[in-house]
Amino acid sequence: MRIRRVLEQGSVGSDVTVAGWARSVRSGKGVTFIALNDGSCLGGIQIVVGPELHNFEAVARLGTGSSLSVAGKLVESPAVGQRFELVAATVTVYQDATPDYPLQKKRHSFEYLRSIAHLRPRTNTFGALFRLRSFLSQAIHQFFGERGFLCVHTPIITGNDCEGAGELFRVTTLDPAALSRAPGGVDYSADFFGRATGLTVSGQLEGELFALAFGDIYTFGPTFRAENSNTPRHAAEFWMIEPEMAFADLAADAALAEEFFRYLCRRVLEECAEDMEFFTAHLDRGLMERIGKVAGTKFQIMEYGDAIVQLQRAKVPFVYPVKWGVDLQTEHERYLTEQVADGPLFVVNYPREIKAFYMRGNDDGRTVAAMDLLVPKVGEIIGGSQREERSDLLQCRMVEMGIPPEGLWWYLDSRRWGSCPHAGFGLGFERLIMYLTGMENIRDVIPFPRTPRHAEF
RNA sequence: UCCCCAUUAGCUCAGUCGGUAGAGCAGGUGACUGUUAAUCACCUUGUCCGUGGUUCGAGUCCGCGAUGGGGAGCCA
């Protein structure tokens, strides 16, 4: 039986069997206590082992990390610290953990735990984190499923070289030695796909094609960027959520983003309470209050132009100067969401020069229908836009930005027949987890992170 | 990729003015009928990241390199 179920539904006096890993073994002369954890919940269960057990001596000497199963009777605990405890009738040891087990009964640094990423799921923090990650993943599918969105699996291997969202990882079966020797460039027509291919940097373009058939769709899958970014917010492999809605404008897009974000805040507070309390106590004292506030607040909307005015009026000094036309830096975003809005804030209608080719041009001729959702402590967490559905304007924009239209002929085809207004946004899954847990490094919210020079495990 | 910081026991860290290193935890032995990262007593543990230099002498100062972290850029 899973320990979580025992603690939630177990009745005093019942016989139960649990299996897990010892977090702590405390031995007195006549009694040994084992804190047993099976990953189903943060707390684990206290096992009481008495000297009448035939293997009491061996059990009393077990090390932290040992795997064992325990059959016994559930009783009310006479001591404070837990409601129930399990009085062992039999203890079966699968394997003792020797003293060289890298996880000790003490606090370890996140840096050290990263170096033993194969073992860190057995710690409190990473247990709570990966339970929350799993829950959140399912909640995202539920959110869209309940609203009739189609889940689409966009390709991971792509031939698009010009999505404009970062460096591509090459995918090839050509001999690396021959590649470097190729005179006058590599002949990709001889490659596996008969063309140059790479790992996807976004499923958006394919997502749009499905939105123009199914109406409301979303993707939730892995994404790859070969940027040499060494920061706590970047990974070479991460997961992204990208909904897309046909017959929707920017306002509808922002409304969906708000509903989505508040839904997820509410769900983790309600259903990951124990783990959220752990994060609040150990990582970020203001966490649950902040998430709760977001879950219950109507988000504000501000024009980019007004945001610039607000920033120019600000009494605080910014490292990066502000004027109409510049992109907002994290320091600007945080000022707007923390000082001006004091809560989540959409900034909409950005200058077209600083945004992607597919964003819909506004009538003023100098802005596009883009939106960023800014949240306190982080800055931008969601970026989206209404897409340019007018074929001629889209092609003009691609030419202006140096993107060869012929490479995206199929994308442009979607604007040839039955084009319609549509909009969508993207949310980095790991950044969402960081926001919801207070974890400050993306390498600590992915099971086995891939970053420059790191592909271990 | 650029800038800054760090690297000392299995882990977390201290190490003064340049004089061959020491705390806690872990581990070992013992004590304790109920502990909560148990407690108490005693004991063990070192390529001071590597490399070159300065010096009578370098964990400590200087150069180069490696690794890690933070900031910036890019972005999700």
Side-chain angles (χ1 to χ4, degrees), chain A residues 143-144 149 204 207 211 216-220 240-245 253 256-257 260 385 387 423-427:
Chain A
F143 174 86
F144 289 117
F149 280 63
Q204 182 198 313
D216 297 337
I217 66 97
Y218 71 104
T219 71
F220 182 8
M240 192 151 64
I241 300 122
E242 295 177 292
E244 193 75 33
M245 296 179 291
D253 200 28
L256 179 74
F260 178 60
S385 69
R387 319 305 190 188
F425 63 81
L427 168 64

Side-chain angles (χ1 to χ4, degrees), chain A residues 407-456:
Chain A
L408 289 175
W409 62 270
W410 45 269
Y411 182 67
L412 287 165
D413 263 9
S414 67
R415 273 66 166 174
R416 278 178 75 184
W417 305 288
S419 185
C420 70
H422 60 289
F425 63 81
L427 168 64
F429 186 46
E430 284 76 15
R431 290 190 180 175
L432 174 69
I433 297 171
M434 289 165 74
Y435 180 76
L436 293 176
T437 60
M439 210 55 130
E440 291 184 337
N441 196 311
I442 197 167
R443 298 161 187 132
D444 297 327
V445 300
I446 308 183
F448 303 101
R450 273 78 180 96
T451 54
R453 301 187 309 284
H454 294 279
E456 191 69 86

Side-chain angles (χ1 to χ4, degrees), chain A residues 239-317:
Chain A
W239 287 62
M240 192 151 64
I241 300 122
E242 295 177 292
E244 193 75 33
M245 296 179 291
F247 310 107
D249 60 10
L250 191 68
D253 200 28
L256 179 74
E258 174 171 344
E259 189 185 358
F260 178 60
F261 201 75
R262 289 172 57 181
Y263 172 91
L264 296 176
C265 290
R266 182 170 60 74
R267 289 290 305 273
V268 297
L269 284 177
E270 286 173 359
E271 291 164 73
C272 301
E274 188 187 32
D275 293 329
M276 288 300 285
E277 278 159 18
F278 178 84
F279 296 132
T280 304
H282 292 94
L283 297 178
D284 180 351
R285 298 242 163 231
L287 181 71
M288 288 180 80
E289 192 190 338
R290 189 169 63 248
I291 304 296
K293 202 173 150 195
V294 168
T297 309
K298 178 85 189 131
F299 296 2
Q300 297 176 52
I301 298 186
M302 183 183 284
E303 290 283 327
Y304 167 86
D306 295 335
I308 293 297
V309 172
Q310 288 282 351
L311 291 168
Q312 286 171 333
R313 278 194 208 141
K315 298 274 192 294
V316 296

Side-chain angles (χ1 to χ4, degrees), chain A residues 36-160:
Chain A
L36 193 73
N37 188 291
D38 67 356
S40 62
C41 60
L42 185 70
I45 193 166
Q46 170 154 285
I47 309 295
V48 184
V49 186
E52 63 279 5
L53 257 70
H54 75 279
N55 57 348
F56 174 73
E57 289 291 315
V59 169
R61 297 168 65 89
L62 285 174
T64 298
S66 303
S67 52
L68 49 133
S69 73
V70 179
K73 203 171 280 293
L74 195 67
V75 301
E76 274 185 59
S77 180
V80 293
Q82 59 279 316
R83 210 175 125 212
F84 299 126
E85 59 189 25
L86 185 60
V87 178
T90 60
V91 175
T92 307
V93 177
Y94 292 102
Q95 188 182 35
D96 186 15
T98 51
D100 54 354
Y101 181 56
L103 290 171
Q104 297 166 23
K105 283 188 288 189
K106 58 167 292 192
R107 212 186 158 279
H108 292 289
S109 67
F110 287 136
E111 289 84 354
Y112 171 67
L113 292 171
R114 251 170 247 157
S115 73
I116 51 167
H118 56 310
L119 296 172
R120 66 179 184 173
R122 298 190 195 178
T123 63
N124 284 336
T125 302
F126 288 94
L129 192 105
F130 290 124
R131 271 190 300 277
L132 185 134
R133 184 177 169 123
S134 167
F135 174 83
L136 198 57
S137 176
Q138 293 172 340
I140 286 164
H141 283 295
Q142 274 178 33
F143 174 86
F144 289 117
E146 286 164 5
R147 285 159 185 77
F149 280 63
L150 183 102
C151 176
V152 52
H153 298 141
T154 51
I156 290 169
I157 297 174
T158 175
N160 311 342

Side-chain angles (χ1 to χ4, degrees), chain A residues 17 58 81 97 148 160 209 257 279 331 393 398 417:
Chain A
T17 302
N160 311 342
L209 306 181
F279 296 132
E331 59 174 352
L393 292 175
M398 289 174 75
W417 305 288

